[in-house]
């Protein structure tokens, strides 16, 4: 069987080894005569999967002991509401850095709950860059600063993060586990799984105890981080199969040599495609400014819309999946998440070069 060259933005490619392992265990998990899906979420078998996912994530990201690791549902989008519900009190302002559609949505949800302000933005330049660190100044009554570490639609990514004396909260849905980060810089990180962590259905939340201590009381139980932390994400039935798949993904990352090895490979993969663009004499132009380029989502266009459409049509014929840009930016987008093999990127570059010389 030939695997597709899958550049989907999300849900996206999963490692073949992970799919194979899941297939092997699908109907008979550890000689139990059952699928992992059929176990109680209170069983010792499922509990081992749940704990392994937490332990492996802690190990891979060097998560300190004073942080909780939660597995929630509702996607990254529910976090847009849960963050202000838990941490924005009436006497405070929530600060947002706008670097794309997802950060706008996060602020829009918070605005329904309390007072927010935009402290830095690249909206006026069509989200082509990440604001300067020195421009990130929290409000005097700031509850927290929220940022989006990788902008899936515009293809920009933060290279470093501001050091602040207020809680920093990051939506890392599309670059978590792609490179080394210092968890201590953040009070909270969240990520929907379907880009770098596994299939859709689970959202990882990493949250510092100190932030949790001051969260709002008397909010709906299912929206209350404190309850989920206290119950180890087992207050109600968690998405057991998605968490199982997450645990296989984490095991795979460990087998690849952990985040340093993954990061090195991601750099190589992205460089391959960016170099091809840079050496194309303007045939392929990137959306992001060079110093803000994302290693996860590579957004570019061709000289005319007609050529862009032709490029996408031809790519489909050759077995490339997911190269159309998001409708709000147009052009093309290649998402090169952790599970996208180097060979897929090589194949894409070969196609890009051939298409350029033919056109
Ligand atoms: C995909 C994505 C989201 C939305 O995630 P859902 O799980 O669909 O809610 C939010 N933020 C970023 C940065 C994303 O890439």
């Amino acid at each position: 069987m030939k695997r597709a060259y899958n550049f989907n933005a999300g849900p996206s490619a999963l490692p073949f080894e992970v799919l194979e392992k899941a297939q092997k265990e699908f109907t008979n998990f550890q000689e139990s005569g059952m699928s992992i899906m059929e176990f109680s979420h209170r069983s010792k078998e499922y509990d081992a999967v749940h704990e392994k996912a937490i332990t492996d994530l802690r190990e891979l990201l060097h998560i300190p002991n004073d942080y909780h690791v939660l597995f929630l549902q509702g996607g990254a989008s529910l976090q847009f509401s849960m963050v202000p519900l838990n941490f924005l009190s009436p006497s405070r302002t929530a600060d947002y850095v706008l670097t794309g559609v997802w950060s706008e949505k996060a602020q829009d949800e918070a605005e329904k709950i309390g007072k927010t302000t935009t402290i830095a933005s690249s909206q006026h330049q069509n989200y082509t860059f990440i604001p300067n660190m020195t421009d990130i100044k929290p409000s005097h009554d700031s509850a927290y600063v929220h940022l989006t570490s990788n902008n899936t639609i515009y293809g920009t990514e933060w290279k470093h993060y501001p050091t602040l004396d207020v809680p920093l909260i990051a939506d890392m849905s599309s670059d978590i586990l792609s490179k080394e980060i210092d968890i201590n810089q953040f009070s909270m990180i969240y990520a929907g799984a379907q880009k770098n962590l596994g299939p859709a259905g689970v959202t990882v939340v990493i949250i510092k105890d100190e932030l949790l201590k001051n969260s709002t009381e008397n909010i709906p139980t299912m929206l209350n981080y404190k309850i989920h932390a206290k119950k180890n994400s087992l207050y109600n039935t968690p998405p057991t199969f998605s968490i199982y798949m997450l645990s296989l993904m984490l095991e795979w990352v460990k087998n690849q040599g952990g985040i340093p090895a993954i990061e090195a490979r991601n750099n190589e993969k992205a460089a391959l495609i960016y170099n091809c663009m840079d050496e194309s004499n303007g045939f392929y132009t990137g959306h992001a400014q060079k110093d803000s380029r994302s290693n996860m989502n590579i957004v570019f266009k061709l000289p005319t819309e007609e050529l862009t459409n032709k490029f996408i049509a031809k790519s489909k014929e050759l077995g490339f999946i997911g190269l159309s840009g998001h409708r709000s930016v147009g052009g093309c987008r290649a998402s090169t998440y952790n599970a996208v093999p180097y060979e897929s990127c090589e194949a894409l570059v070969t196609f890009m070069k051939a298409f350029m010389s033919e056109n």
Side-chain angles (χ1 to χ4, degrees):
M1 182 201 68
K2 187 175 174 293
R3 288 276 287 163
Y5 296 130
N6 184 353
F7 291 95
N8 272 339
S12 43
L14 291 168
F16 188 58
E17 297 91 321
V18 164
L19 296 173
E20 269 190 323
K21 176 145 193 208
Q23 182 187 44
K24 219 163 98 200
E25 295 184 331
F26 196 68
T27 52
N28 189 11
F29 180 73
Q30 295 176 358
E31 302 306 316
S32 63
M34 299 160 56
S35 168
I36 185 65
M37 278 185 279
E38 301 172 279
F39 278 92
S40 161
H41 59 295
R42 312 279 176 205
S43 64
K44 68 174 189 331
E45 289 84 356
Y46 174 71
D47 189 61
V49 169
H50 195 90
E51 286 309 316
K52 183 170 157 34
I54 295 173
T55 309
D56 284 351
L57 194 66
R58 283 190 178 279
E59 187 185 317
L60 283 166
L61 284 171
H62 310 294
I63 301 173
N65 284 334
D66 60 333
Y67 285 74
H68 304 270
V69 173
L70 311 180
F71 300 140
L72 307 182
Q73 298 188 64
S77 299
L78 185 61
Q79 296 307 305
F80 299 166
S81 307
M82 279 179 75
V83 164
L85 258 179
N86 282 265
F87 306 124
L88 178 54
S89 62
S91 59
R92 301 253 177 163
T93 302
D95 293 329
Y96 282 78
V97 182
L98 298 192
T99 51
V101 168
W102 295 117
S103 32
E104 282 176 21
K105 287 192 170 164
Q107 182 169 4
D108 288 348
E109 289 304 305
E111 190 59 36
K112 294 174 187 168
I113 287 156
K115 203 173 130 216
T116 75
T117 183
T118 303
I119 55 166
S121 172
S122 52
Q123 189 182 30
H124 57 291
Q125 287 189 37
N126 201 14
Y127 293 128
T128 46
F129 67 95
I130 299 295
N132 279 330
M133 287 313 104
T134 46
D135 293 339
I136 317 285
K137 294 200 188 75
S139 306
H140 65 93
D141 58 351
S142 175
Y144 58 80
V145 170
H146 179 282
L147 62 81
T148 314
S149 61
N150 181 72
N151 299 283
T152 325
I153 293 172
Y154 297 91
T156 61
E157 186 173 13
W158 294 65
K159 305 295 164 189
H160 17 240
Y161 302 101
T163 306
L164 307 169
D165 52 11
V166 302
L168 181 60
I169 298 179
D171 175 0
M172 291 199 183
S173 293
S174 52
D175 70 347
I176 191 166
L177 233 55
S178 71
K179 60 181 180 185
E180 296 214 80
I181 50 165
D182 178 7
I183 299 284
N184 291 294
Q185 279 186 279
F186 302 91
S187 290
M188 178 176 154
I189 290 167
Y190 63 90
Q194 67 273 24
K195 280 106 187 197
N196 253 345
L197 296 176
V202 60
T203 305
V204 168
V205 175
I206 301 163
I207 187 165
K208 195 172 186 174
D209 200 49
E210 194 183 316
L211 178 68
L212 206 55
K213 268 196 208 131
N214 299 314
S215 65
T216 311
E217 304 290 338
N218 273 326
I219 48 179
T221 306
M222 282 300 290
L223 304 177
N224 189 331
Y225 292 119
K226 248 186 213 156
I227 306 262
H228 290 298
K230 200 167 132 198
K231 301 288 184 184
N232 194 26
S233 308
L234 289 157
Y235 169 78
N236 71 326
T237 318
T240 53
F241 190 72
S242 295
I243 294 168
Y244 161 75
M245 289 298 292
L246 165 67
S247 80
L248 296 188
M249 271 298 275
L250 296 171
E251 195 176 272
W252 178 81
V253 172
K254 284 170 72 175
N255 291 339
Q256 300 296 302
I259 296 184
I262 290 274
E263 177 172 6
R265 224 174 39 139
N266 284 338
N267 285 335
E268 285 171 19
K269 280 155 48 185
L272 209 57
I273 300 169
Y274 283 123
N275 287 341
C276 171
M277 286 160 51
D278 291 343
E279 289 160 8
S280 73
N281 287 319
F283 189 79
Y284 299 109
T285 50
H287 180 80
Q289 292 179 14
K290 278 192 182 174
D291 60 359
S292 299
R293 282 175 166 177
S294 166
N295 266 4
M296 296 284 101
N297 310 98
I298 300 172
V299 178
F300 59 94
K301 61 178 189 329
L302 285 78
T304 63
E305 211 175 304
E306 198 191 332
L307 272 175
T308 298
N309 292 340
K310 191 173 165 192
F311 177 86
I312 289 166
K314 181 82 190 164
S315 78
K316 284 179 185 159
E317 272 173 37
L318 296 174
F320 292 93
I321 308 289
L323 289 174
S324 301
H326 188 271
R327 59 192 179 279
S328 56
V329 191
C332 307
R333 169 172 57 175
S335 297
T336 52
Y337 299 122
N338 287 354
V340 174
Y342 186 82
E343 295 69 42
S344 293
C345 301
E346 272 181 330
L348 175 59
V349 165
T350 303
F351 165 56
M352 286 170 76
K353 286 183 177 160
F355 188 86
M356 186 170 86
S357 59
E358 283 159 22
N359 290 275

